[in-house]
Amino acid sequence: MIKNLVIVESPAKAKTIEGYLGKDFVVKSSFGHVRDLPKDNNAIDIKNKFKPTYVISSDKKDVVSQLKKLAKEAETVWLASDDDREGEAISWHLTEALNLNEAKTRRIVFREITKNAILNAISSPRGIDMDLVNAQQARRVLDRLVGFELSPVLWKKIKTGLSAGRVQSVAVRLVVEREREIEKFNAEPTFRITAQFDVQGKTLDAELPTKFKTEEEAQAFLQRCIGASYTIGNLETKPLKRSPAPPFTTSTLQQEASRKLYFSVAQTMTVAQRLYEAGKISYMRTDSLNLSDEAIQGASNAIRNSFGEKFVKTRRFKTKSSGAQEAHEAIRPTDFSQLNASSDRNEQRLYELIWKRAIASQMADAEIEKTTATIDISTLPDKLVATGEVIKFEGFLKVYIESKDDEEGGDEDVKGMLPPLSIGQALGLRQMQATQRYSRPAPRYTEASLVKKLEEMGIGRPSTYAPTISTVQKRGYVEKDSREGKERKFNVLTLKNDQISAQTKTEITGAEKNKLFPTDMAMVVNDFLVEHFPNVIDYSFTARVEAEFDEIAQGQQEWEQMLEKFYEKFHARIENSENINRADVSGAREVGIDPVSGQKILAKLGRFGPYVQLGEENPDTGEKPVYASLRKGQFIESLTLDDALDLFKLPRIVGVFEEKEMKAAIGRFGPYISHASKFYSLPKTMDPMTVTAEESIALIEAKRKADAEKLIKSFPENPEVQVLNGRYGPYIVVGKKNVKIPKGKEPADLTLQECLDLAEQTPEKKGRGGFKKKAEPATAEKKPAAKKPAAKKAATKKPAAKKATPKKP
């Protein structure tokens, strides 16, 4: 007989909690949700107040069976899932799936996995909060309705396999609109005046507050400075105080981990989850800035012990968001005296970031003295300005400085101090420069800055940010990529020794690292949704829906009524979509006329992405159109005729190797070299338009060498069996199946029979829906689709694949 059964979501969490509770408690995991909506159209009974039908997930039947057996034996069942809507729903589903007796079931919640928190939770159990469950159900049902009704419309009107979602489509819209904003942006040049003065062997940097629009104006200013004398006209010193940032919420942790640790949003949440389950940090899905009295005390003691009493300043931060749950806490360490939380490098780095941010939030302000020097020019009324800062008291800066995004500038750092100066002091000019600078568009989003934007707009909640960012990438709407910048010239005028010289320099502009780029598909789908389903993709509407979920969670609104109000208008638009002409939403456009053949060039979307088409199929003459894929960074809507003509120059013959031609081309997976029916991907540093025969031969030979080193053993009597070196060590390939080599077995000594026996013992991997998965070697490389069409040719469809270069008429 079990006295107490505690059920949590994850095995790691179960293991940690089991260590805190005595022998009277058995802790088991449900491995997340045990029930969900079935994948068919019968999941929601719309006519019966949107009643959902839940089924036990196929992979959870054994778990539910085991938990049911244990629950029957237990005197008390403690449901200890997370303290949020999703966690509350898991507890409710467990109650239903296990047929738990209300009299012997307790719901307990905690925001950190420590002994005190667990024991406190057990001493104050409660029932299941159905308002929270209903808020989760409303989100789940509404998102299912949108997905199941809107996605088929996209399949009919644009392309099979597309998806739409209430939050994901809004996130895609933000990325698309930012891309178009950048595309339309016209950089305007201005000239910035800077000066360097010599002050007793030290350099004083100053700047003119105003900028000039033209080079002529900048030249005229420098001309009037010839022979001028410079003196300190005024010195102003002001004390400044800088306060620390509040402790982390989910979104600010994702942003700062991206800036400082270069983590993706999903990676941040995975690492934070492990730290939480190990009992090292408080719950990582939160929008609250609040810290408990116990946490504030712990932080204050740690600061006092490390830095002294004058560094302590306790603070309570208030969350701006009206929907934030102040009863919850910000993300913080469970024990501020613990500096080492894990032997895993990424876990330790994230823990240190959380520790520093939480500690800094309870530290004294930094005290800074800012000095502003105004410099008079004898020949002009204009004044130059130099500023410097001196830290008088470090305060929180001793521990932590918050980073900023591209649009906000760099780290919030302190400027250097000025050399000793006095009013009336004469300054010797080393040089003055007028440098041409260009205005910049708003930067493309990173994963973290997109999360920040969604949060600012009230779209999504802490639990949805990471899944949303992952989904838009998996669906092929958004790509995370780095792009090289372009070279740009700029002019510099220099006044030195009363002589003005002009110089033209070059700079690289527009380089992007790990930014989010929309695909052509994203642009077509976004435009379709904006035109025909404006409420689904409207920013304020989506934010309002989030606010309504909050109202349901607080018991201020009935969830069925909220869904009814939404569905009535939404479904009417779905029915009206039958009248939309598919040809109007394809995104295709005529780029221009080929100057050689006189035929039209069209840009279209195909099965494997965007492409250009030269000419039309002519059944009478047997003439067929020619196709070429667009290159990375090119969009159908902005492609020029010159860009399109360049694309038809591929494939190009690079040279001959071993009496066979080498061709450079662009395929489904990027640029490549084809030789002897094999394909070799070109690295980012090589362009298919300019790659040489020598570079191509070196690429082929390097790949052959790598492949030769990969093979450990083969069997001539059965070519389907090989022992290979993979990314994660040696393994066996038998046909399409990958087979693990047991410990203690020497890969090179394996016999053919041993390989076949091991393959027999290895079960087939299953993919989605329980279908057998096609095995690929761990080291298999994706080969570019050299001859695959962008859209397969059928009786009623035109192909969108690249063919041979068109013959000249």
Side-chain angles (χ1 to χ4, degrees):
M1 182 77 178
I2 299 170
K3 197 166 184 182
N4 295 283
L5 172 66
V6 181
I7 305 176
V8 296
E9 302 108 308
S10 78
K13 193 173 172 183
K15 191 178 175 185
T16 308
I17 291 172
E18 206 160 33
Y20 296 135
L21 298 171
K23 58 180 178 11
D24 291 339
F25 288 83
V26 172
V27 186
K28 292 291 176 185
S29 167
S30 70
F31 297 88
H33 275 281
V34 292
R35 296 198 311 173
D36 199 3
L37 299 171
K39 289 183 166 53
D40 55 40
N41 286 322
N42 304 317
I44 300 156
D45 186 350
I46 293 165
K47 291 176 182 174
N48 189 13
K49 290 190 171 181
F50 302 91
K51 186 182 177 183
T53 298
Y54 293 105
V55 294
I56 294 170
S57 312
S58 57
D59 60 334
K60 295 294 172 64
K61 285 180 179 173
D62 289 344
V63 173
V64 169
S65 176
Q66 187 194 16
L67 290 175
K68 200 180 266 189
K69 186 170 176 260
L70 292 168
K72 272 184 184 176
E73 296 173 15
E75 287 179 22
T76 308
V77 178
W78 305 84
L79 299 173
S81 49
D82 290 338
D83 183 18
D84 56 16
R85 293 174 201 171
E86 210 67 37
E88 205 69 24
I90 288 173
S91 283
W92 177 71
H93 282 298
L94 282 167
T95 305
E96 298 285 308
L98 305 181
N99 297 319
L100 294 179
N101 180 344
E102 196 178 330
K104 71 169 194 176
T105 305
R106 309 280 185 274
R107 169 77 171 117
I108 55 170
V109 292
F110 40 84
R111 303 290 295 181
E112 60 182 66
I113 304 175
T114 58
K115 191 169 185 175
N116 273 354
I118 307 298
L119 295 177
N120 285 341
I122 284 173
S123 67
S124 53
R126 62 168 173 80
I128 287 172
D129 186 335
M130 283 311 295
D131 289 333
L132 288 179
V133 173
N134 289 337
Q136 190 273 345
Q137 285 197 100
R139 179 189 290 279
R140 187 77 186 90
V141 170
L142 189 144
D143 287 347
R144 169 59 71 91
L145 290 170
V146 171
F148 261 56
E149 295 204 5
L150 189 50
S151 296
V153 175
L154 298 180
W155 302 348
K156 284 181 195 172
K157 305 300 176 185
I158 302 174
K159 182 188 167 190
T160 308
L162 293 175
S163 73
R166 190 180 50 83
V167 178
Q168 82 171 51
S169 296
V170 171
V172 170
R173 183 181 180 182
L174 284 167
V175 175
V176 166
E177 288 183 349
R178 178 60 57 89
E179 191 66 36
R180 285 175 171 159
E181 195 183 318
I182 292 166
E183 195 69 34
K184 290 174 187 170
F185 184 80
N186 285 320
E188 292 185 359
T190 54
F191 281 82
R192 174 173 166 253
I193 306 291
T194 56
Q196 290 85 45
F197 296 97
D198 189 1
V199 181
Q200 298 168 6
K202 292 182 179 178
T203 301
L204 175 66
D205 292 308
E207 188 176 335
L208 191 72
T210 54
K211 292 177 182 175
F212 298 112
K213 287 187 177 179
T214 65
E215 189 171 340
E216 289 72 24
E217 289 175 317
Q219 175 90 27
F221 179 85
L222 294 182
Q223 200 74 40
R224 292 181 68 185
C225 288
I226 293 173
S229 58
Y230 306 89
T231 52
I232 300 291
N234 190 32
L235 278 174
E236 193 177 356
T237 302
K238 277 185 183 176
L240 292 177
K241 282 192 176 181
R242 192 170 293 170
S243 298
F248 284 129
T249 60
T250 302
S251 105
T252 54
L253 176 64
Q254 289 168 351
Q255 291 161 46
E256 196 71 337
S258 171
R259 300 180 197 119
K260 278 189 157 70
L261 307 179
Y262 306 104
F263 283 6
S264 69
V265 165
Q267 185 183 7
T268 299
M269 295 314 289
T270 302
V271 176
Q273 178 90 33
R274 292 203 298 262
L275 287 170
Y276 167 66
E277 288 173 349
K280 304 300 179 185
I281 62 168
S282 59
Y283 193 51
M284 65 284 153
R285 291 187 186 92
T286 178
D287 50 10
S288 172
L289 299 175
N290 187 40
L291 289 180
S292 66
D293 292 339
E294 187 185 343
I296 290 173
Q297 190 59 49
S300 300
N301 290 339
I303 297 162
R304 205 172 279 113
N305 294 337
S306 298
F307 309 111
E309 186 64 49
K310 63 179 180 177
F311 281 87
V312 178
K313 184 179 179 181
T314 57
R315 289 181 176 81
R316 293 194 180 276
F317 295 90
K318 270 284 180 189
T319 310
K320 290 176 188 174
S321 166
S322 58
Q325 299 183 59
E326 291 297 342
H328 293 164
E329 279 195 80
I331 304 168
R332 60 165 178 83
T334 53
D335 181 357
F336 283 94
S337 66
Q338 192 171 358
L339 300 180
N340 294 312
S342 175
S343 56
D344 179 271
R345 181 171 177 266
N346 283 343
E347 285 179 29
Q348 181 59 27
R349 289 168 75 209
L350 191 67
Y351 177 79
E352 282 176 10
L353 193 65
I354 293 166
W355 186 91
K356 286 177 179 178
R357 176 85 164 218
I359 280 280
S361 76
Q362 300 305 310
M363 290 180 76
D365 293 339
E367 293 174 16
I368 296 160
E369 189 176 82
K370 183 179 180 181
T371 303
T372 304
T374 307
I375 300 164
D376 294 337
I377 307 168
S378 63
T379 55
L380 286 163
D382 303 78
K383 297 177 190 298
L384 296 162
V385 175
T387 58
E389 293 176 349
V390 179
I391 297 174
K392 292 295 185 182
F393 175 63
E394 279 182 296
F396 76 93
L397 292 177
K398 198 158 184 83
V399 172
Y400 181 81
I401 300 173
E402 185 182 15
S403 296
K404 299 289 179 188
D405 287 316
D406 292 355
E407 56 262 51
E408 299 171 296
D411 280 7
E412 192 184 295
D413 222 333
V414 179
K415 293 178 182 176
M417 64 184 291
L418 299 178
L421 299 170
S422 58
I423 293 175
Q425 182 178 345
L427 302 173
L429 180 70
R430 284 186 186 169
Q431 67 171 26
M432 189 180 289
Q433 284 189 318
T435 307
Q436 190 177 28
R437 284 287 169 252
Y438 290 85
S439 56
R440 293 190 300 171
R444 288 179 177 88
Y445 290 107
T446 60
E447 286 188 352
S449 64
L450 182 57
V451 164
K452 183 182 180 185
K453 183 68 176 174
L454 289 168
E455 186 186 40
E456 283 172 356
M457 297 173 85
I459 296 164
R461 288 295 180 262
S463 60
T464 64
Y465 299 139
T468 299
I469 301 297
S470 298
T471 300
V472 297
Q473 292 178 65
K474 282 177 191 167
R475 297 279 188 264
Y477 291 133
V478 172
E479 293 174 338
K480 185 161 83 167
D481 201 3
S482 297
R483 305 267 168 98
E484 291 178 6
K486 294 176 183 174
E487 203 173 78
R488 179 172 66 191
K489 291 181 178 178
F490 67 98
N491 297 326
V492 180
L493 305 174
T494 305
L495 170 62
K496 194 172 185 179
N497 301 326
D498 286 344
Q499 296 287 321
I500 297 174
S501 60
Q503 204 179 359
T504 300
K505 295 184 177 181
T506 56
E507 63 182 353
I508 300 296
T509 180
E512 301 277 20
K513 190 176 180 183
N514 291 332
K515 294 293 181 71
L516 299 179
F517 294 82
T519 61
D520 272 291
M521 187 59 74
M523 291 177 162
V524 171
V525 170
N526 176 72
D527 292 349
F528 175 79
L529 293 175
V530 167
E531 184 177 351
H532 299 288
F533 295 91
N535 62 331
V536 173
I537 207 164
D538 178 69
Y539 297 135
S540 57
F541 169 80
T542 311
R544 175 64 201 145
V545 169
E546 293 290 354
E548 289 190 80
F549 290 149
D550 292 340
E551 287 168 14
I552 294 165
Q554 290 153 20
Q556 295 167 3
Q557 189 175 168
E558 293 294 324
W559 71 287
E560 297 94 342
Q561 287 175 8
M562 179 255 172
L563 289 174
E564 195 173 339
K565 196 168 56 177
F566 167 85
Y567 187 73
E568 193 179 344
K569 290 179 184 174
F570 172 69
H571 189 66
R573 284 194 174 268
I574 293 286
E575 290 180 327
N576 291 338
S577 69
E578 290 296 327
N579 305 320
I580 301 166
N581 184 359
R582 179 169 183 159
D584 296 339
V585 293
S586 66
R589 60 178 274 263
E590 186 179 321
V591 177
I593 304 295
D594 175 30
V596 177
S597 64
Q599 292 182 309
K600 281 182 187 176
I601 296 177
L602 302 170
K604 296 181 177 181
L605 256 179
R607 185 181 166 196
F608 298 127
Y611 67 96
V612 281
Q613 173 184 322
L614 172 60
E616 298 284 350
E617 191 162 359
N618 189 332
D620 299 332
T621 63
E623 192 179 348
K624 292 183 179 181
V626 179
Y627 306 92
S629 297
L630 264 63
R631 302 181 72 175
K632 192 173 270 191
Q634 291 180 325
F635 293 106
I636 288 173
E637 63 183 42
S638 57
L639 192 77
T640 65
L641 178 59
D642 287 340
D643 292 336
L645 292 171
D646 273 346
L647 292 170
F648 288 116
K649 291 175 184 175
L650 294 173
R652 60 178 268 266
I653 296 169
V654 175
V656 176
F657 178 51
E658 296 173 346
E659 299 180 358
K660 288 180 181 171
E661 285 180 343
M662 296 178 291
K663 287 181 183 175
I666 298 174
R668 186 180 171 192
F669 301 114
Y672 65 93
I673 296 290
S674 67
H675 175 259
S677 301
K678 290 192 176 179
F679 307 98
Y680 306 87
S681 293
L682 283 174
K684 284 183 179 179
T685 51
M686 291 185 190
D687 189 321
M689 299 296 294
T690 58
V691 65
T692 64
E694 290 76 16
E695 288 171 329
S696 301
I697 292 166
L699 198 71
I700 292 165
E701 288 178 336
K703 180 73 169 63
R704 285 178 180 175
K705 186 171 181 258
D707 287 348
E709 288 169 355
K710 191 170 109 173
L711 181 68
I712 297 172
K713 193 171 188 178
S714 62
F715 304 93
E717 61 270 39
N718 190 341
E720 282 210 329
V721 182
Q722 288 182 314
V723 184
L724 302 175
N725 242 325
R727 187 177 166 193
Y728 302 110
Y731 66 102
I732 304 163
V733 174
V734 179
K736 291 178 179 177
K737 188 189 271 191
N738 291 348
V739 181
K740 198 175 176 182
I741 298 172
K743 279 184 182 176
K745 289 270 186 189
E746 185 59 45
D749 296 340
L750 287 166
T751 65
L752 176 60
Q753 192 56 49
E754 282 177 312
C755 293
L756 293 170
D757 290 345
L758 287 167
E760 189 67 33
Q761 295 160 23
T762 304
E764 292 280 357
K765 278 192 178 178
K766 293 193 177 180
R768 281 186 185 175
F771 295 108
K772 284 184 181 177
K773 212 175 183 183
K774 185 178 176 182
E776 288 181 24
T779 54
E781 292 176 14
K782 281 185 179 178
K783 289 181 180 176
K787 296 178 184 176
K788 265 194 179 177
K792 282 188 180 175
K793 188 178 175 183
T796 55
K797 288 185 182 178
K798 292 185 178 67
K802 217 173 350 174
K803 304 281 185 193
T805 310
K807 289 179 182 176
K808 292 184 180 177

